[in-house]
């Protein structure tokens, strides 16, 4: 089993350990990383000496900040197949994680965004810490929440997922637990002890055994801001158009509603409308695979969308934080502008 500079694969006792190792880039995913992780998971799955897999990020700042959008931006500009290849393999990995046959223990310590959510939230044993900051910030770069987020977000309590998807704001451990993206909170300082304890389990240990062990080390994550504002969220974000959502937010009192409306106002109008339609479609989808198929089609459409290139430019290339969206307002985005993102990718990732 091969490690690379960007992903370190190892074993400790009965645990297979996958360490994302691009700390200076917040462990952002590249195609070689996706392939190394996929290969390691396949080998661990059939190894009788491995009871569980542990996935973590190296460095002090985060688990994984998402896909390497600079590379996606470059591929789109060049017209190469790099972006499509990345998305296809990343989404297949997300799906494989959701069906992994052994306990998949992921340590969401620090920044966990975009593709990092895809590596974590589909897993069986998802751990947050007091340092966790999770977000799906894609509407701020002219993109949309992918990696199966259109399956996960609609299944959060009430309209919490709609709030997360449209605002893209980061949330803490308590909110991640409330949204159903994690199972337990463990102190960051206790993670090395937890890893050792999992590694000490017998090779015959079950998912229930791993769960019981994690539970003994779990701590209280505190109050969820999303739970505390659920009434406002559910009233405002139940609308089926972004305009309706903003109209309700404008009538709500309090800082939370004002902050939410202000953030949304700065996001890409096209991305907002695309995201909301994808989330509503995900709500009635039969499974994760259906959502990933739909997301891939939208990804390919993004490569022909002005706002993606402008959003990445403003956020990570020029870093002026001043994107010029086109169309510039929600009113200018037509339904037909969003329809083009719903052309199915060929071939589909998964058979119907």
């Amino acid at each position: 089993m091969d490690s690379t500079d960007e992903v370190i694969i190892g074993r400790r006792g009965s645990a297979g350990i996958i360490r994302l190792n691009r700390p200076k880039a917040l462990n952002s995913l590249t195609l070689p990383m996706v392939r190394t992780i996929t290969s390691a998971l396949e080998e661990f799955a059939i190894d009788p000496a491995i009871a569980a897999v542990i996935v973590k990020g190296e460095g002090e700042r985060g688990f994984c900040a998402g896909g390497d959008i600079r590379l996606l931006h470059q591929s789109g500009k060049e017209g190469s197949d790099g972006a499509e290849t990345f998305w296809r393999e990343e989404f297949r990995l997300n799906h494989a994680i959701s069906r992994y046959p052994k306990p998949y223990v992921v340590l969401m310590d620090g920044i966990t965004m975009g593709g990092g959510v895809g590596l974590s939230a589909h897993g069986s044993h998802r751990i947050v810490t007091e340092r966790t900051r999770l977000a799906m910030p894609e509407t701020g770069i002219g993109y949309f929440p992918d990696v199966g987020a259109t399956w996960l977000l609609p299944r959060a309590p009430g309209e919490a997922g709609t709030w997360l998807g449209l605002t893209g704001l980061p949330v803490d451990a308590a909110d991640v637990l409330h949204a159903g993206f994690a199972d337990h909170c463990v102190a960051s300082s206790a993670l090395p002890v937890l890893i050792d304890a999992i590694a000490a389990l017998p090779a015959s240990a079950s998912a229930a055994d791993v769960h019981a062990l994690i539970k003994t080390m779990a701590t209280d994550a505190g109050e969820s801001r999303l739970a505390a504002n659920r009434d406002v969220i559910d009233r405002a974000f139940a609308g089926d158009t972004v305009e309706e959502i903003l109209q309700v937010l404008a009538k709500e009192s309090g800082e939370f509603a004002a902050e939410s409306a202000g953030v949304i106002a700065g996001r890409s109008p096209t991305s907002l409308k695309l995201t909301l339609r994808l989330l509503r479609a995900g709500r009635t989808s039969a499974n994760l695979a259906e959502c990933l198929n739909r997301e891939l089609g939208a990804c390919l459409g993004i490569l022909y969308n002005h706002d993606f290139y402008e959003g990445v430019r403003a956020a990570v290339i020029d870093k002026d934080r001043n994107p010029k969206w086109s169309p510039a307002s929600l009113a200018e985005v037509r339904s037909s502008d969003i329809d083009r993102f719903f052309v199915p990718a060929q071939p589909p990732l998964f058979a119907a």
Side-chain angles (χ1 to χ4, degrees), residues 241-243 246-247 268-270 272-273 327-337:
T241 69
V242 181
E243 291 90 339
L246 288 173
Q247 287 169 7
S268 158
T270 300
L272 289 168
K273 290 201 170 187
S329 70
L330 291 167
E332 294 174 90
V333 181
R334 302 164 298 181
S335 293
S336 58
D337 295 330

Side-chain angles (χ1 to χ4, degrees), residues 69 113 135-145 163-169 262-273 275 302 305-317 319-325:
I69 57 175
M113 296 185 179
M136 297 299 295
E138 289 83 0
T139 57
I141 59 165
Y143 193 56
F144 65 92
W163 182 90
L164 285 164
L166 293 183
T167 68
L169 288 171
V263 168
I264 290 172
R267 303 309 196 198
S268 158
T270 300
S271 289
L272 289 168
K273 290 201 170 187
T275 295
I302 283 288
N305 182 47
H306 163 274
D307 281 7
F308 173 62
Y309 299 99
E310 174 63 7
V312 175
R313 179 205 63 76
V316 301
I317 297 176
K319 297 183 179 179
D320 59 30
R321 308 290 176 183
N322 186 32
K324 304 298 183 184
W325 305 125

